[in-house]
Amino acid sequence: MNFLQDSLEGFLAREHRVVIVDVTAVKGSAPRDEGTFMLVGPTEIHGTIGGGQLEYVAIENARKMLGSAGGEAKLDIPLGPDIGQCCGGRVELTFTFADEAARQALDQRIATDERQKPQVWVFGGGHVGRALAESLTLLPLKVFVVETRESELDRLTSEVHHRLNAMPESLIADIPAGSAVVIVTHDHALDFLIAREALARTDLAYIGMVGSKSKRGTFLHYLDEQGVDRAEAERLVLPIGGTAVDDKRPEVIAAMTAAEVLLAFAAWKSKML
């Protein structure tokens, strides 16, 4: 079970009377998109619709409903001086009591969102792999870590999907189209095998490998020996994280790589539209 579901279940177990606040329409600039929701209970909230005065107004209205002190089922809020925000757009909010039917619909909605999350497959669970997994699990992504060493998988957080496999390159064929592959194993030869399989596919949003300019040269030589067109290698990001920040600490590489992956997913989404 993913972290979002865990925290939502915990919230609903504590707060038996809840109002669902939905962003049902957005015009112009706004802090969150249509489809965003948050839950408001008498003492706690779960999620966010963007913070600031907009969220304050939403919480106040929801708690009026919970306290039978009025409250509106729908609010159309201009994000301007009247509420102390300068986004410039308008947001329509809908407020729904979370009865049994609404909670079931919410469960289905979250399950659908979970299935539609882009997948990131991290091959290697060492220092960089662990740091990358930790960074990625904070994002709206489904993260898999593949390792040949069970001891390294044991050190990962529970929010990561674990895959123990003696031949990790064999998993590449089954990764869904539009996914990202990040290669950070402890073995350069294994890195090359995995990258070769990934580059054979043209439907992955991102393929990256930890390394250096020297490692890239060695990999290109390997592809030449395999009779692979050099143009294929141009789709490989090596080194991951780029060179703009000269810092090789795993956490820094992970942060820069996470940004690259998000940009790659955005580009892939635009391409598919």
Side-chain angles (χ1 to χ4, degrees):
M1 190 171 291
N2 65 77
F3 178 75
L4 174 61
Q5 289 172 326
D6 283 345
S7 61
L8 176 59
E9 284 189 356
F11 173 83
L12 291 175
R14 294 187 301 273
E15 300 279 359
H16 301 292
R17 298 180 64 253
V18 172
V19 168
I20 303 169
V21 183
D22 269 299
V23 178
T24 47
V26 171
K27 295 179 181 178
S29 178
R32 296 295 300 273
D33 297 325
E34 184 177 326
T36 302
F37 72 92
M38 68 182 294
L39 307 180
V40 179
T43 60
E44 294 187 45
I45 64 170
H46 173 86
T48 177
I49 56 169
Q53 285 296 110
L54 169 66
E55 193 160 293
Y56 176 81
V57 170
I59 294 170
E60 183 179 41
N61 186 73
R63 286 188 171 149
K64 283 183 179 179
M65 294 175 67
L66 289 169
S68 300
E72 303 292 334
K74 186 172 291 187
L75 292 177
D76 183 10
I77 303 174
L79 303 178
D82 287 349
I83 66 165
Q85 291 200 208
C86 56
C87 299
R90 299 182 74 92
V91 173
E92 181 185 88
L93 302 178
T94 300
F95 299 78
T96 309
F97 280 107
D99 57 16
E100 188 60 32
R103 290 186 185 221
Q104 289 180 4
L106 186 62
D107 286 343
Q108 293 174 358
R109 181 174 173 181
I110 291 170
T112 299
D113 288 346
E114 182 67 17
R115 288 193 297 271
Q116 294 176 346
K117 281 183 180 179
Q119 294 187 11
V120 183
W121 288 72
V122 180
F123 287 81
H127 290 43
V128 175
R130 283 197 302 277
L132 184 57
E134 293 286 349
S135 295
L136 294 172
T137 53
L138 298 174
L139 304 172
L141 305 169
K142 186 176 291 186
V143 183
F144 297 81
V145 176
V146 182
E147 250 295 349
T148 60
R149 304 165 295 173
E150 189 171 7
S151 60
E152 295 301 319
L153 289 178
D154 290 341
R155 301 174 68 182
L156 293 168
T157 65
S158 60
E159 285 79 38
V160 176
H161 300 274
H162 299 185
R163 292 290 187 274
L164 180 65
N165 195 300
M167 298 178 62
E169 69 275 13
S170 67
L171 298 178
I172 293 291
D174 297 324
I175 294 175
S179 297
V181 169
V182 188
I183 306 162
V184 290
T185 83
H186 62 293
D187 185 328
H188 283 196
L190 182 57
D191 284 351
F192 292 174
L193 284 174
I194 296 168
R196 176 67 190 90
E197 292 298 319
L199 288 171
R201 295 183 53 170
T202 59
D203 60 351
L204 296 174
Y206 176 93
I207 305 169
M209 184 190 296
V210 72
S212 61
K213 183 177 179 181
S214 172
K215 185 175 181 180
R216 185 178 187 89
T218 303
F219 180 66
L220 291 175
H221 180 67
Y222 163 78
L223 290 181
D224 288 341
E225 290 182 335
Q226 298 291 313
V228 177
D229 190 330
R230 280 285 183 102
E232 280 195 25
E234 294 305 312
R235 294 187 292 118
L236 176 68
V237 178
L238 197 175
I240 56 172
T243 58
V245 177
D246 186 18
D247 192 326
K248 294 182 173 61
R249 284 176 289 182
E251 297 81 6
V252 176
I253 295 172
M256 301 299 288
T257 303
E260 284 181 353
V261 168
L262 287 177
L263 288 171
F265 280 138
W268 178 266
K269 185 177 180 180
S270 297
K271 178 181 174 182
M272 294 296 104
L273 292 178

